[in-house]
């Protein structure tokens, strides 16, 4: 049975006036046959509410009008640049190149808004367990310690280190100019055969012009500590133990040069891994120091009633000039060649010549063991003593922090490492050196 066309005076979609017999609206193309015929063949249909004789299906509200900018208006053929489906009202993103539709102040109107160029698309979230950059919190950190997204250098474990071992303490810091810390230190305590205590501190400074200077300083400090912990309890004299510790440290650094080379680290024109060495051993009555290179040991008496002293001599160009009488100390250390070292630990070093010395202080004080990252800002003994707090013997860790801060406040041009070793009151009856 053929369905009966409803008799309508206006389009139920756009309210365009209709002629009798129209099958489609001449304005919007609405299919009038979709409107069910009314039993009473009334020529009108109510737009707001059920018509007489109802209820009847509710007529859809006219769709909201979309206003497009000129560059997205229809072409001459009447086709639009929009996809056939057009934007879905309420959907945040249009199929057109990710353009977003935002409501304008007037209801039922939408405007196109391009993505904000200031908001950069972030990198994909790294997989779980991947080391993430501390700066951008999104990029993966590569094997060299840099973020693959923003390029930021990541903090390393050795950038700032602090350790307190009984009565001694040390602090090491990367400084303000270097991208990594090439210094290393080791602290230790031991017991001599007679039951008296012995403490020691070893500080090593990697030679930046060599390969893997950070590995060299770490290997040297650890090897020296192992040697001292083995020798002192067996009754080896502390000065001899220090000599053996330097030899062990030298062997450890030399062995690094024999390791298989990598494309990134070992190039034919580069020097073998190298570092300086300085250490101190303190017993109830004896103070021993040993060194190779230009790291130093200073003595600072607690009561400041006697002058402080530097207990080591640099293996450096400046020291050689002063020793030869060719320059005074101020002139030599002002020269750009001043810090060129003439002694170091490493496979390409000259013949190893460990320096050791022993002292018997007649009063309590502290021993400051440090790299040139500190003494560059307190070179003379009295300058170092001025930087050391008065309660240094009682608060060695605090003192080490203060001294590192002194170097950073001065510019922090180098890695800075300092160990503070208090010297106890000598046993009664002990003679002076």
């Amino acid at each position: 049975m053929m369905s009966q066309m409803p008799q309508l005076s206006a389009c139920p979609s756009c309210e365009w006036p209709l002629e009798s017999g129209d099958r489609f609206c001449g304005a919007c193309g609405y299919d009038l046959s979709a409107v069910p015929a009314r039993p009473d063949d009334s020529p009108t249909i109510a737009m707001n509410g059920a018509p007489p004789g109802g209820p009847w299906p509710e007529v859809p509200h006219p769709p909201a009008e979309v206003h497009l900018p000129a560059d997205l208006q229809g072409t001459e053929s009447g086709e639009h640049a929009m996809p056939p489906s057009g934007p879905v009202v309420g959907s945040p993103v249009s199929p057109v190149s990710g353009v977003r539709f935002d409501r304008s102040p007037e209801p039922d109107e939408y405007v196109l808004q391009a993505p904000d160029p200031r908001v950069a698309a972030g990198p994909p979230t790294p997989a779980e367990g991947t080391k993430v950059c501390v700066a951008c919190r999104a990029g993966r950190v590569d094997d060299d310690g840099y973020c693959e997204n923003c390029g930021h250098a990541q903090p390393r474990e050795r950038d700032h280190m602090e350790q307190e071992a009984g009565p001694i303490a040390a602090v090491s810091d990367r400084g303000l100019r270097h991208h990594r810390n090439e210094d290393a230190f080791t602290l230790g305590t031991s017991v001599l055969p007679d039951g008296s205590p012995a403490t020691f501190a070893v500080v090593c400074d990697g030679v930046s012009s060599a390969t893997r200077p950070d590995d060299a300083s770490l290997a040297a400090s650890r090897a020296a500590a192992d040697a001292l912990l083995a020798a002192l309890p067996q009754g080896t004299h502390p000065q001899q133990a220090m000599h053996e510790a330097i030899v062990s440290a030298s062997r450890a650094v030399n062995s690094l040069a024999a390791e298989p080379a990598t494309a990134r680290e070992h190039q034919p024109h580069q020097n073998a891994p190298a570092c300086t060495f300085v250490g101190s051993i303190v017993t109830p009555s004896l103070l021993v120091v040993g060194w190779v290179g230009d790291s130093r040991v200073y003595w600072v008496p607690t009561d400041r009633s006697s002058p402080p002293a530097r207990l080591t001599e640099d293996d450096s160009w400046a020291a050689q000039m002063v020793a030869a009488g060719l320059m005074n100390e101020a002139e030599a250390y002002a020269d750009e060649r001043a810090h060129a070292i003439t002694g170091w630990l490493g496979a390409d070093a000259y013949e190893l010549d460990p320096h050791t010395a022993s002292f018997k202080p007649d009063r309590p004080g502290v021993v400051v063991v440090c790299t040139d990252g500190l003494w560059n800002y307190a070179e003379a003994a009295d300058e170092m003593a001025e930087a050391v707090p008065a309660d240094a013997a009682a608060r060695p860790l605090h003192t080490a922090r203060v001294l590192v801060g002194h170097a950073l406040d001065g510019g922090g041009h180098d890695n800075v490492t300092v160990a503070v070793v208090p010297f106890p009151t000598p046993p009664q009856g002990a003679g002076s050196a």
Side-chain angles (χ1 to χ4, degrees):
M1 178 178 176
M2 183 177 294
S3 62
Q4 182 183 5
M5 284 286 296
Q7 298 299 315
L8 304 175
S9 61
C11 174
S13 176
C14 66
E15 299 186 3
W16 182 266
L18 300 176
E19 299 292 338
S20 177
D22 284 346
R23 182 176 178 82
F24 298 95
C25 173
C28 68
Y30 189 84
D31 186 355
L32 301 176
S33 66
V35 181
R38 293 174 57 182
D40 59 359
D41 293 331
S42 171
T44 62
I45 182 169
M47 299 299 296
N48 299 312
W56 304 102
E58 186 174 302
V59 178
H61 188 276
E65 183 179 359
V66 177
H67 300 277
L68 300 176
D71 59 346
L72 291 181
Q73 294 297 331
T75 63
E76 292 182 359
S77 64
E79 298 178 352
H80 291 288
M82 297 282 291
S85 61
V88 178
V89 175
S91 174
V93 180
S94 161
V96 183
S97 304
V99 176
R100 199 179 71 195
F101 286 82
D102 289 340
R103 283 187 178 273
S104 66
E106 297 180 11
D108 293 329
E109 290 189 357
Y110 292 80
V111 294
L112 290 173
Q113 180 177 351
D116 189 342
R118 297 169 298 178
V119 181
T125 304
E128 185 176 355
T130 302
K131 188 174 181 181
V132 179
C133 175
V134 299
C136 69
R137 301 287 182 181
R140 189 184 77 88
V141 178
D142 63 21
D143 295 338
D144 292 331
Y146 292 88
C147 175
E148 293 181 346
N149 176 47
C150 67
H152 190 88
Q154 304 302 297
R156 295 174 171 86
E157 181 181 357
R158 291 171 62 178
D159 281 358
H160 184 88
M161 300 179 293
E162 297 186 357
Q163 184 183 355
E164 191 169 27
I168 58 179
V171 175
S172 181
D173 192 271
R174 184 182 69 182
L176 305 179
R177 302 294 183 90
H178 285 249
H179 72 283
R180 65 179 175 183
N181 189 0
E182 297 170 355
D183 290 354
F185 68 83
T186 306
L187 306 178
T189 59
S190 184
V191 178
L192 302 179
D194 62 359
S196 59
T199 59
F200 64 83
V202 173
V203 171
C204 298
D205 183 356
V207 177
S208 297
S209 59
T211 7
R212 301 166 59 196
D214 50 337
D215 291 342
S217 61
L218 186 62
S221 64
R222 288 178 173 176
D226 291 342
L228 291 172
L229 289 173
L232 292 173
Q234 294 178 357
T236 304
H237 189 278
Q239 189 167 352
Q240 178 62 30
M242 178 61 74
H243 179 94
E244 294 175 359
I246 297 175
V247 173
S248 296
S250 177
R251 291 172 180 163
V253 178
N254 292 349
S255 67
L256 296 178
E259 293 180 358
T262 65
R264 181 176 65 87
E265 292 183 328
H266 286 177
Q267 301 297 333
H269 65 278
Q270 290 181 318
N271 298 325
C275 68
T276 68
F277 180 100
V278 68
S280 176
I281 302 173
V282 168
T283 73
S285 60
L286 189 66
L287 165 59
V288 172
V289 297
W291 74 97
V292 175
D294 64 348
S295 294
R296 295 180 175 180
V297 177
Y298 290 85
W299 161 254
V300 180
T302 299
D303 59 8
R304 313 296 169 95
S305 59
S306 60
R310 172 155 63 95
L311 305 183
T312 57
E313 292 292 337
D314 299 342
D315 289 323
S316 68
W317 180 90
Q320 283 189 343
M321 293 299 102
V322 174
L326 300 176
M327 292 183 177
N328 61 40
E329 192 165 293
E331 293 172 338
Y333 282 100
D335 193 282
E336 61 181 8
R337 297 165 290 181
H339 291 279
I341 58 176
T342 58
W344 63 88
L345 304 183
D348 58 357
Y350 304 119
E351 183 178 355
L352 180 64
D353 183 19
H355 310 294
T356 62
S358 61
F359 305 88
K360 292 183 177 180
D362 61 353
R363 65 199 67 211
V366 292
V367 181
V368 178
V369 185
C370 65
T371 62
D372 60 346
L374 171 61
W375 66 253
N376 278 332
Y377 301 99
E379 185 174 335
D382 56 348
E383 293 176 327
M384 183 64 71
E386 186 176 350
V388 172
D391 59 353
R395 303 174 66 191
L397 181 57
H398 169 74
T399 300
R401 290 169 175 167
V402 168
L403 293 174
V404 168
H406 177 77
L408 297 180
D409 290 343
H413 286 70
D414 198 357
N415 306 146
V416 52
T417 301
V418 55
V420 178
V421 185
F423 184 86
T425 302
Q428 188 172 0
S432 58

